[in-house]
Amino acid sequence: MRRIRRMLVPAFAMALVFPAVLPAQAAPIRATVKSIEFEGMAAPASVKEMADQYSTASLKVTYSDGSVKTFPLSYNRLFKTTDSIGGTVAGVAIDHKGAPIIDNSVPANPTPYVSDSPDSNSLFQVPGMAPSALGGNALSLVTHYEYITFDNANQSAYGLIPASMSLTTLDQNKQTGELKPTELNKIDFSGVNGLWIPCNGSLSPWNTHLGSEEYDPDARAYEADPKATFISPFVQAYYQDKTKTGNPYDYGYIVEVKANADKSTQVAKHYSMGRFSHELTKIAPDGKTALFGDDGGNTMLFLYVADKAQDLSSGTLYAAKWVQKSAANGGSADLQWIKLGHGTDAELKVLVDKGLRFSDIFETSDKAAEGFTAIKTYPSGKIEYLKVKPGMEKAAAFLESRRYGAMLGATSEFNKMEGVTINEKDRKAYVAMSYVEKAMEKDAKGADPADDIQVDKISSGVTYELDLAGGAKDRDGSAIDSAYVPTFMSGLVVGEDLAKADALGNKAAVDKVANPDNLSYSESLRTLFIGEDSGMHVNNYLWAYNVDTHKLSRIMSVPAGAEATGLQFVEDLNGFSYIMSNFQHPGDELLLPDPLKIEVLAEINKSFENRKAGGVGYISGLPSMKQIVEAAPVIGDDNPTDKSLVDLRAKAAAAGAKLEWHGKNKDIVVTLGKHSLTTRVDSSTATIDGKKVNLPAATQFSKGKTYFSAAIWDQFIKL
């Protein structure tokens, strides 16, 4: 997600369900969770804070008895991209043989290229993997290294040097959940001609990593002039062969990585998922529906439905048409889906491998002409007049997905479409639009071939909410075989542009999200996490947005000029939860005024190898739901000295509860909703939902009334 020159939780109630009858030695009953929310942190104020990645936020849990427990959060760095782990430098660029690619721009100082730009993380556990070298649970972490910013001569190496991914083995401490890297290996992409600018990614429901190849190289421009794209220097560096020229149709796909118990990997590029500027793909719970981000200007919203669950090698690709309903706050629209075609990886790879060119797929015209369709899409960004050659519709659909989609009427006016995630319970998806401007604004000159999107400009961006539904049909009336088809799209979390930069240089409101990028969602916490890639904030932040209360909380800050990347919420992995988060290119394009800028940059240089290192890590301290429940107070423990009694029948009537005498066993039973309380006269214990509770004072009978512990009654009615 390279920039172009970018608590909480619900107030939800969780009812604990217990068996009707348990033995007397059963665990005591606990209060239930009433609400969970993130308590945010202030924006960094000191030089040290501005130059570092950190969190001082916390998670606040309120229980049914009114008690509150706070879980402080902190940031833990696993490694910098310049660190060597088990003998391998994390961010080193490698060629097709796995050897480091050397920067010879300064002949007297040959140095391996090392990325400063870590991106996507997938943290997961591979079944059958042996314990780590430290004896804890062995976890696997796939990480992207998106690009290299500079070579030895301080020239940008963006896109020129092959990118990479690593598979890191992490030790998970079984008692504390702390993560430590023990081994790191670079993933081999030689079987798919290398890896092109991997941006964000996600973990599939079947435990594979789904990577991406962003900013698809323009095959038309390459055919006209190979020097007009990065393709030739890219493949020459990857194969260490100056005679290589490359093929743009080798790149621009979703890449799937399977990690094995022996730490080996298998890699596949999914040609049938379409070729465009893949930010990432997110798979719906059905294991077959994929939603995408398409980064850049004049991009498109795509949908893919695989033929079989957990198999992305064949399926049907669709593109959306935006049918606008409103323009404010990012706008809103119905989404109409246009079928591009059905394809398989195998048949499309044959087309690529035989050296198919742009001119094999399309006829072109320099001006409007009969039979030619006018379009404007990324990566060209210019009006083009195209006609698909007979029999080349499949090649057009999957190798030139955006151009072909525009020819069929799909909307190609989105701008900087970034992260995507899914809220399964509410049947919602979320999509980050980092900058809502340019092609998303009304075409005032009326010069473009289409002007579907005409929303108000918000340079600090918008995170959109998409309604998901089953039973949808495409534009031609054919059924779409998915229960997760986006049907309506509207702005949800909206940035605020400042008319004038503040004293620190912020161009967007500092307490709102600016230029959203990474997204991840927690079902249990009912929280949408949003990471920034902003050129409008001095420091980029990670935010937590409660989809029920709409509370927005800042929970992490990254070094000034850096981008927050690699966001992944990991829930209850061996009893522990994590928020994975990286940063890349620290100190880039600092907005700060002098002399503060000079001080912050000096601190960044000292900490991050003169801005040549990015960081990979996670937010710790986040409890799993199991830990939250187990931390709940035990009923009867909070008021051991409160011996006051209340009229049980009167209290039951006031609460709307049912009270019964069971004369045979002399039990008094109170039923309130699905909860029950049982006691006996002169007894110092009671039973709540089948669990024994000690009473501060025994139940008593006097003048025709039963008197029961006030403290325990108060806790019972809060269940």
Side-chain angles (χ1 to χ4, degrees):
M1 290 133 298
R2 185 171 185 262
R3 238 178 260 143
I4 294 181
R5 333 259 130 53
R6 114 144 88 133
M7 192 187 167
L8 217 2
V9 164
F12 69 95
M14 272 188 58
L16 299 181
V17 180
F18 300 102
V21 179
L22 287 178
Q25 69 269 25
I29 188 170
R30 295 181 180 274
T32 56
V33 176
K34 182 179 180 182
S35 67
I36 304 176
E37 63 179 348
F38 281 94
E39 294 292 312
M41 54 184 261
S46 68
V47 168
K48 179 173 174 48
E49 289 175 338
M50 290 181 183
D52 200 6
Q53 184 172 18
Y54 71 100
S55 175
T56 58
S58 61
L59 188 72
K60 175 184 173 183
V61 181
T62 303
Y63 294 97
S64 59
D65 65 345
S67 64
V68 173
K69 185 169 181 60
T70 299
F71 298 86
L73 306 181
S74 61
Y75 185 75
N76 299 73
R77 183 163 299 123
L78 291 169
F79 55 85
K80 292 185 289 188
T81 56
T82 50
D83 289 345
S84 177
I85 301 170
T88 301
V89 175
V92 68
I94 58 171
D95 64 19
H96 71 296
K97 294 182 178 180
I101 299 175
I102 303 300
D103 175 7
N104 291 303
S105 59
V106 179
N109 185 32
T111 308
Y113 283 103
V114 177
S115 173
D116 65 338
S117 300
D119 207 295
S120 173
N121 291 311
S122 281
L123 177 67
F124 55 101
Q125 188 164 23
V126 178
M129 186 174 286
S132 77
L134 298 179
N137 299 314
L139 303 184
S140 296
L141 177 70
V142 174
T143 303
H144 291 186
Y145 302 91
E146 189 175 0
Y147 56 88
I148 288 97
T149 301
F150 297 109
D151 61 13
N152 269 336
N154 212 34
Q155 300 295 310
S156 175
Y158 181 86
L160 301 174
I161 304 302
S164 66
M165 295 186 197
S166 65
L167 176 64
T168 306
T169 302
L170 300 177
D171 174 84
Q172 182 191 44
N173 186 289
K174 294 180 179 180
Q175 283 71 47
T176 66
E178 181 183 3
L179 304 178
K180 290 184 179 181
T182 60
E183 182 180 346
L184 184 147
N185 295 292
K186 304 298 284 192
I187 297 173
D188 179 11
F189 286 91
S190 60
V192 292
N193 297 307
L195 178 67
W196 178 268
I197 310 178
C199 195
N200 205 347
S202 65
L203 186 67
S204 76
W206 53 95
N207 219 37
T208 60
H209 173 75
L210 299 176
S212 60
E213 292 187 308
E214 188 182 46
Y215 299 141
D216 48 313
D218 190 344
R220 181 178 185 178
Y222 175 81
E223 187 174 347
D225 178 9
K227 295 181 180 179
T229 73
F230 299 144
I231 286 292
S232 291
F234 177 93
V235 298
Q236 288 169 11
Y238 187 64
Y239 289 102
Q240 295 291 287
D241 184 347
K242 293 295 185 182
T243 68
K244 291 280 188 179
T245 55
N247 179 358
Y249 289 131
D250 275 327
Y251 309 104
Y253 304 101
I254 292 298
V255 182
E256 185 171 16
V257 178
K258 181 180 185 298
N260 303 309
D262 63 0
K263 302 175 186 176
S264 64
T265 55
Q266 281 90 46
V267 171
K269 284 189 180 180
H270 290 304
Y271 304 93
S272 71
M273 299 185 81
R275 179 177 174 271
F276 44 93
S277 184
H278 280 289
E279 174 78 13
L280 85 167
T281 186
K282 180 66 177 179
I283 307 298
D286 63 358
K288 58 186 288 187
T289 304
L291 303 177
F292 305 92
D294 184 13
D295 201 352
N298 286 98
T299 58
M300 193 168 283
L301 182 64
F302 292 96
L303 170 73
Y304 176 81
V305 182
D307 295 337
K308 297 186 297 184
Q310 301 189 15
D311 181 355
L312 303 177
S313 65
S314 65
T316 304
L317 186 64
Y318 300 86
K321 183 176 182 64
W322 169 281
V323 183
Q324 186 157 311
K325 299 299 181 184
S326 66
N329 296 318
S332 64
D334 291 328
L335 297 174
Q336 181 185 74
W337 291 98
I338 299 170
K339 181 179 176 180
L340 302 189
H342 177 275
T344 71
D345 287 350
E347 63 185 339
L348 293 162
K349 188 176 187 300
V350 169
L351 296 178
V352 174
D353 289 348
K354 76 177 186 179
L356 196 73
R357 299 174 300 169
F358 178 88
S359 61
D360 295 325
I361 303 173
F362 297 104
E363 292 182 47
T364 64
S365 174
D366 293 334
K367 58 184 179 181
E370 185 177 353
F372 288 83
T373 303
I375 66 166
K376 184 178 180 180
T377 74
Y378 185 88
S380 166
K382 301 175 182 177
I383 296 176
E384 299 178 292
Y385 302 92
L386 303 178
K387 180 193 294 186
V388 179
K389 290 186 175 181
M392 300 306 293
E393 290 80 8
K394 187 176 296 259
F398 293 94
L399 305 185
E400 290 285 353
S401 305
R402 209 183 294 104
R403 282 178 165 124
Y404 187 60
M407 293 177 71
L408 296 183
T411 300
S412 58
E413 299 163 32
F414 294 99
N415 188 68
K416 295 294 292 174
M417 186 191 302
E418 306 276 0
V420 180
T421 193
I422 291 176
N423 169 349
E424 180 179 356
K425 179 182 178 182
D426 296 339
R427 310 286 279 192
K428 303 286 187 183
Y430 306 102
V431 175
M433 209 73 62
S434 195
Y435 291 80
V436 176
E437 57 185 19
K438 299 179 181 178
M440 295 186 72
E441 300 176 71
K442 180 178 176 60
D443 177 17
K445 297 181 180 179
D448 290 341
D451 194 22
D452 296 339
I453 306 179
Q454 302 181 20
V455 302
D456 298 340
K457 179 179 180 179
I458 306 174
S459 294
S460 50
V462 173
T463 299
Y464 287 83
E465 180 180 77
L466 285 67
D467 296 343
L468 304 177
K473 296 182 178 180
D474 66 20
R475 183 182 60 182
D476 296 331
S478 298
I480 300 176
D481 185 21
S482 170
Y484 296 90
V485 178
T487 58
F488 184 75
M489 181 173 179
S490 59
L492 178 66
V493 183
V494 181
E496 181 183 341
D497 302 344
L498 298 179
K500 181 182 178 181
D502 67 16
L504 289 176
N506 291 297
K507 301 174 185 177
V510 74
D511 289 328
K512 293 185 178 181
V513 178
N515 310 118
D517 192 318
N518 283 200
L519 299 180
S520 190
Y521 183 74
S522 165
E523 292 283 345
S524 65
L525 300 181
R526 303 280 294 162
T527 299
L528 174 64
F529 297 100
I530 306 173
E532 294 182 341
D533 177 10
S534 181
M536 302 181 73
H537 277 169
V538 171
N539 289 85
N540 279 200
Y541 306 117
L542 176 60
W543 301 87
Y545 176 80
N546 187 319
V547 299
D548 296 315
T549 66
H550 309 298
K551 179 181 177 182
L552 182 68
S553 305
R554 181 191 293 106
I555 62 171
M556 190 189 69
S557 177
V558 302
E563 172 187 347
T565 63
L567 174 62
Q568 181 199 16
F569 176 76
V570 184
E571 183 162 13
D572 198 6
L573 188 54
N574 299 317
F576 299 95
S577 295
Y578 307 94
I579 302 174
M580 305 304 298
S581 185
N582 305 338
F583 73 86
Q584 60 178 231
H585 56 73
D588 188 28
E589 297 181 19
L590 287 182
L591 300 177
L592 292 165
D594 291 334
L596 183 58
K597 177 179 179 179
I598 297 171
E599 295 179 59
V600 171
L601 189 57
E603 190 72 22
I604 289 173
N605 285 336
K606 183 173 65 175
S607 299
F608 305 115
E609 325 297 336
N610 291 318
R611 294 189 293 152
K612 291 186 179 295
V616 175
Y618 64 100
I619 294 176
S620 64
L622 188 72
S624 66
M625 287 308 302
K626 179 181 178 183
Q627 290 170 325
I628 288 174
V629 170
E630 290 178 346
V634 175
I635 288 185
D637 280 4
D638 286 348
N639 298 284
T641 61
D642 182 359
K643 299 184 180 299
S644 59
L645 301 172
V646 293
D647 180 342
L648 187 58
R649 183 175 293 279
K651 285 291 186 180
K658 179 182 178 182
L659 185 147
E660 299 176 294
W661 282 82
H662 291 189
K664 183 176 181 180
N665 52 18
K666 300 181 181 181
D667 285 344
I668 305 164
V669 180
V670 179
T671 305
L672 180 60
K674 57 186 175 182
H675 300 291
S676 66
L677 181 154
T678 302
T679 189
R680 293 183 183 181
V681 173
D682 295 331
S683 175
S684 296
T685 65
T687 301
I688 296 178
D689 293 340
K691 293 190 175 183
K692 182 180 177 181
V693 176
N694 293 320
L695 303 177
T699 304
Q700 299 179 18
F701 185 82
S702 177
K703 298 180 180 179
K705 296 181 180 181
T706 300
Y707 291 91
F708 183 72
S709 166
I712 301 305
W713 176 259
D714 286 344
Q715 294 179 347
F716 171 70
I717 63 173
K718 291 176 181 177
L719 289 175

